[in-house]
Structures are given as structure tokens and as C-alpha cells.
Amino acid sequence: MRERSEVMKYLCLVYGEEAAIMAMPPAHCVEYDEQIRASGQCIASEALQPVSTATTVRVRGGKLSITDGPFAETKEQLAGFYLVEARDLNEAIQIAAKIPPAQVGCIEVRPIRPIREAVAAARAS
């Protein structure tokens, strides 16, 4: 296990065409998930239900608006995520490259903005 103070958190967003993602053997994805969790680098990971089950929520001028489906119409849909810990972006990219759907889709790697820690530090000073 890693010391949490020496790593950053990255969100690896899994995108792909639903048919291609759904055609991947679930066991292949679960095997990788078990490996990354055992390494101590994975904080959380989940596959998402098909985009047809999505609901988009907006609040404008105090009014709630709900729309079926995703925010944008695209060929590639958000299929799941991994929240991982890595020393730097290069290590996060190496982790993302091993996520099985990277073979048929793409993985967006984004650093987590530590807003809780920033607010706590500001309150403490």
C-alpha cells in the first residue's frame, strides 16, 4: 500500500461506443479491476448502465430541468470510471493504458482538485 501523502488522485473516465464496450468480456474488465484494487492504487471503480438510463439535471434561475439521456450527443459515451492514486500524471497514464476498454475506446485522465483539503486548510488558518 502507498502512503497517501506522496500521491495524487486521478479520475480515469472510460469512454467508448456502447456496442464495443458491451462486447468486451466482463471477466476481462473484472480481472483488471481486481488487480488494480490489490495494488492499492484504486480507490473506487464502477461500470455504468447504458446511456439510455442516464438523466441530465440542470438548475437555471432556481428552476429544475430534467432531461433523459446524456448532456451531449456523441458516438462515444461515458461507460465507467476508476478513481486512482498515482505519483504523477505519467503514472496515472500508465494505469489508464491498462484499463481494458482503452483497447476499443479511450480513457480521459483528470487530476482531482483537492477542494476539501483547501477549504479545511483555509478554515484552520
Side-chain angles (χ1 to χ4, degrees):
M1 281 277 180
R2 297 169 174 263
E3 285 290 321
R4 291 198 184 266
S5 61
E6 58 185 74
V7 296
M8 290 181 56
K9 293 178 186 172
Y10 292 88
L11 185 61
C12 299
L13 297 167
V14 178
Y15 287 95
E17 291 186 32
E18 272 188 355
I21 298 286
M22 297 302 273
M24 295 191 76
H28 186 51
C29 296
V30 170
E31 181 180 313
Y32 176 74
D33 189 66
E34 290 170 347
Q35 290 173 3
I36 189 77
R37 285 176 181 266
S39 77
Q41 290 179 294
C42 183
I43 298 166
S45 59
E46 293 293 342
L48 299 177
Q49 292 288 340
V51 72
S52 62
T53 67
T55 301
T56 299
V57 175
R58 294 178 183 86
V59 178
R60 301 291 187 271
K63 296 190 185 222
L64 175 64
S65 170
I66 300 169
T67 307
D68 289 341
F71 175 71
E73 294 290 325
T74 64
K75 280 185 168 184
E76 292 188 335
Q77 305 295 333
L78 180 62
F81 72 91
Y82 286 82
L83 179 59
V84 301
E85 291 182 318
R87 287 185 306 274
D88 54 30
L89 179 59
N90 289 331
E91 184 177 37
I93 290 169
Q94 293 305 310
I95 292 168
K98 295 176 186 168
I99 296 173
Q103 299 168 20
V104 296
C106 65
I107 312 299
E108 177 182 342
V109 179
R110 293 181 64 179
I112 297 297
R113 188 171 59 141
I115 61 173
R116 287 182 195 85
E117 293 84 348
V119 169
R123 287 179 179 161
S125 36

